[in-house]
Amino acid sequence: MAAIGVHLGCTSACVAVYKDGRADVVANDAGDRVTPAVVAYTENEEVVGLAAKQSRIRNISNTVMKVKQILGRSSDDPQAQKYISESKCLVIEKNGKLRYEIDTGEEMKFVNPEDVARLIFSKMKETAHSVLGPDANDVVITVPFDFGEKQKNALGEAARAAGFNVLRLIHEPSAALLAYGIGQDSPTGKRSFKHDVRGNARAMMKLMNSADTAKHSLSTLGSANCFLDSLYEGQDFDCNVSRARFELLCSPLFNKCIEAIRGLLEQSGFTADDINKVVLCGGSSRIPRLQQMIKELFPAVELLNSIPPDEVIPIGAAIEAGILIGKENLLVEDSLKIECSAKDILVKGVDESGANSFRVLFPSGTPLPARRQHMLQAPGSISSVCLELYESDGKNSAKEENKFAQVVLQDLDKKENGLRDILAVLTMKRDGSLHVTCTDQETGKCEAITIEVAS
């Protein structure tokens, strides 16, 4: 038996297969191990991958890119609004759902983001079948850590619509860990244009293509040349970019990456000294300056980058798929499935001033399974005590509408003096379900509930 792992990123997609005890990335029909996540619509066909990317300059309004950023989102979502404002392919709301407006000349089409993702998944399935045959359809799909249930469901449905049998969705960081078996200067050629080309979609797309190529080159070379024939109104563009200049221009972005890591450490209660390994994944992790900054943040840490960063996540997904279909002869030692809590889980209390306060019991990113204890104190004069649980995405504090469960201990014997101690034990399983037990420490009276993961 064989299984498949697929990673659909914002700009590219990659597929790995698990067979004979090992996971390997499969090259597509063009010989590339990574496929651009681009879909172009023409009068007669739908083009996916490199061909779609290469034709986007002349077919920009009918070419969809970065569909992952809009999957499962509504028009009032800030990320969707940002995507809509930047997309060269028109996105509209139709019948309460976001659609791409495709005009191929013959007729106007309205395409769901899920349908675009389905075509990319179909391309990944075709690539996997080139080495496994048409009967291998078991797959593990990777999802970003911050994806909500709607985004996860949309991604899963798109994969199923492509003909995959989805065994599981796992977080991209978890897949990257599995792949490593963890837990299981100003140039002389610069020209100044009198015209502002930002309003010309075709010229901007040419620049983006050239900049993307230069970025890849600067990961291994000291400089890269960007030459564009007839960029705008017959004028050529020729620019040589040094790695130092590139790093200076991108310095704010690099700093944001490091601040995100620092924030995660603070949120999880760890320090840099607590970390002993760092896995690099994603194309931008090839950038030498970014690697250097990560190394400076974790000076005693081993940076794991022996697997190409573009391929780490799908390889991990393929290993997970191999585990799920019963493979036992993994070549990666001690491979384990590592799931994490997606949101902060908080308990509501009252501070000394009598105002509501919230304490985080499970920060987002807590490895699962996990258990926490919380001692709740209540006046002995009351006969019932309520433990209220909330969830938060970490960006906003808990609100009343984010309450998702409560446990009530009733008919308690009243005490004239003193406080009552209630011990709450919360256990979150690997699948995200939460079991809560509340026990009165004096009488032993107990209540328990289980909150299952919404399907």
Side-chain angles (χ1 to χ4, degrees), residues 5 111 114 118 151 194 229 329 349 373 385 388 404 415:
V111 180
E114 292 78 7
R118 172 184 59 81
Q151 287 80 50
K194 295 181 179 180
D229 183 40
N329 56 333
Q373 293 186 358
V385 177
E388 298 182 352
F404 70 91
K415 300 169 57 176

Side-chain angles (χ1 to χ4, degrees), residues 147-271:
F147 256 26
E149 289 304 315
K150 290 182 179 179
Q151 287 80 50
K152 291 178 182 177
N153 291 338
L155 199 64
E157 288 303 316
R160 294 183 186 95
F164 277 126
N165 175 36
V166 180
L167 301 174
R168 180 170 291 167
L169 304 179
I170 65 170
H171 289 132
E172 292 168 357
S174 300
L177 293 175
L178 277 170
Y180 281 98
I182 297 177
Q184 200 208 351
D185 303 324
S186 298
T188 56
K190 181 179 179 181
R191 300 182 182 181
S192 298
F193 287 88
K194 295 181 179 180
H195 305 286
D196 185 352
V197 302
R198 286 175 294 183
N200 187 294
R202 182 182 178 92
M204 287 300 297
M205 189 58 64
K206 285 184 176 182
L207 279 174
M208 288 174 61
N209 285 346
S210 185
D212 186 55
T213 302
K215 183 188 77 169
H216 285 276
S217 299
L218 289 170
S219 292
T220 54
L221 303 176
S223 63
N225 180 257
C226 297
F227 177 78
L228 293 168
D229 183 40
S230 188
L231 172 65
Y232 186 75
E233 293 187 354
Q235 299 180 76
D236 298 339
F237 179 82
D238 190 8
C239 176
N240 194 65
V241 182
S242 68
R243 181 185 288 179
R245 176 63 174 167
F246 169 77
E247 291 175 350
L248 180 63
L249 291 172
C250 295
S251 179
L253 299 176
F254 298 158
N255 290 333
K256 283 185 178 180
C257 293
I258 300 301
E259 286 306 312
I261 298 173
R262 294 184 190 275
L264 179 61
L265 289 173
E266 181 179 351
Q267 187 179 24
S268 60
F270 290 114
T271 67

Side-chain angles (χ1 to χ4, degrees), residues 90-102:
L90 183 62
V91 181
I92 64 169
E93 186 173 18
K94 188 176 178 65
N95 298 327
K97 294 185 178 182
L98 295 176
R99 302 280 194 274
Y100 290 101
E101 186 176 289
I102 306 295

